[in-house]
């Protein structure tokens, strides 16, 4: 038969891990919506371009977590917005920066709970992307003289 790379997932504490995946789905879903707003109000083409790329990453992360959730539970998640995005650009950048930083630690902790090496590596790659996003948001905060 086929080798299922997700088979070892069942050896970990499923409930806590699935709860973490659910939080990740909601966080990515919220980020997608917030970054759509930030893209629309970004003051320069450079900022729009970078935010568009970050949003693409978040959509990819969202799909990876949804796919994992389905493999683990056999059901589709119902994503919901877990945090509202401020209307003000600087406040939105501040929320985005802090959220991306917090998410890096959350994803690294989540990856440590995975026993399957493929899942562990996937979540760590996503955490790396989130750190890169935080750097961009910090750059835009500085560039626009925003206060944290």
């Amino acid at each position: 038969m086929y080798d299922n790379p997700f088979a070892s997932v069942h050896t970990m504490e499923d409930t806590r891990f699935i709860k973490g995946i659910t939080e990740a789905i909601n966080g990515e879903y919220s980020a997608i919506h917030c970054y759509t707003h930030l893209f629309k109000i970004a003051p320069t083409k450079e900022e729009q371009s970078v935010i568009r790329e970050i949003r693409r990453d978040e959509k990819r992360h969202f799909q990876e977590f949804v796919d994992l959730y389905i493999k683990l539970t056999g059901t589709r998640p119902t994503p919901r917005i877990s945090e509202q995005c401020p209307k003000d650009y600087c406040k939105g950048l501040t929320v985005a920066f802090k959220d991306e930083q917090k998410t890096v630690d959350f994803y690294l902790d989540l990856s440590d709970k995975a026993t399957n090496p493929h899942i562990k590596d996937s979540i760590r790659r996503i955490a790396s992307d989130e750190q890169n996003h935080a750097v961009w948001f910090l750059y835009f905060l500085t560039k626009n003289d925003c206060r944290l």
Side-chain angles (χ1 to χ4, degrees):
M1 288 304 270
Y2 299 102
D3 184 24
N4 182 354
F6 299 98
S8 65
V9 169
H10 298 291
T11 63
M12 67 184 96
E13 293 185 33
D14 289 344
T15 305
R16 283 187 11 204
F17 188 73
I18 291 169
K19 183 177 182 272
I21 297 300
T22 302
E23 287 179 41
I25 289 167
N26 290 336
E28 297 293 341
Y29 185 74
S30 298
I32 292 164
H33 286 275
C34 186
Y35 301 167
T36 298
H37 170 68
L38 291 178
F39 169 80
K40 290 176 183 175
I41 62 172
T44 68
K45 295 288 185 197
E46 175 198 27
E47 289 172 65
Q48 286 178 335
S49 176
V50 171
I51 292 169
R52 180 187 305 116
E53 185 60 35
I54 291 171
R55 200 170 114 247
R56 267 190 218 122
D57 286 348
E58 301 298 0
K59 286 181 176 183
R60 184 174 39 80
H61 300 161
F62 173 79
Q63 193 58 56
E64 286 184 47
F65 283 122
V66 166
D67 292 346
L68 179 56
Y69 183 90
I70 292 168
K71 282 179 175 55
L72 294 173
T73 67
T75 63
R76 291 195 68 73
T78 305
R80 63 182 210 291
I81 293 179
S82 55
E83 186 175 355
Q84 294 299 317
C85 187
K87 301 291 181 214
D88 176 76
Y89 187 63
C90 282
K91 288 179 183 173
L93 289 175
T94 300
V95 166
F97 169 70
K98 289 179 178 180
D99 182 66
E100 295 285 344
Q101 281 293 103
K102 181 182 73 173
T103 300
V104 171
D105 289 334
F106 176 71
Y107 287 172
L108 291 174
D109 289 343
L110 188 61
S111 75
D112 288 342
K113 292 180 178 116
T115 56
N116 178 290
H118 174 73
I119 293 171
K120 186 181 287 286
D121 289 346
S122 293
I123 296 172
R124 285 191 176 277
R125 276 194 309 275
I126 292 171
S128 178
D129 285 347
E130 300 297 321
Q131 186 65 62
N132 185 45
H133 300 163
V135 171
W136 276 110
F137 287 128
L138 183 59
Y139 168 66
F140 294 148
L141 281 163
T142 303
K143 181 181 171 196
N144 287 285
D145 291 325
C146 300
R147 294 178 188 238
L148 278 175

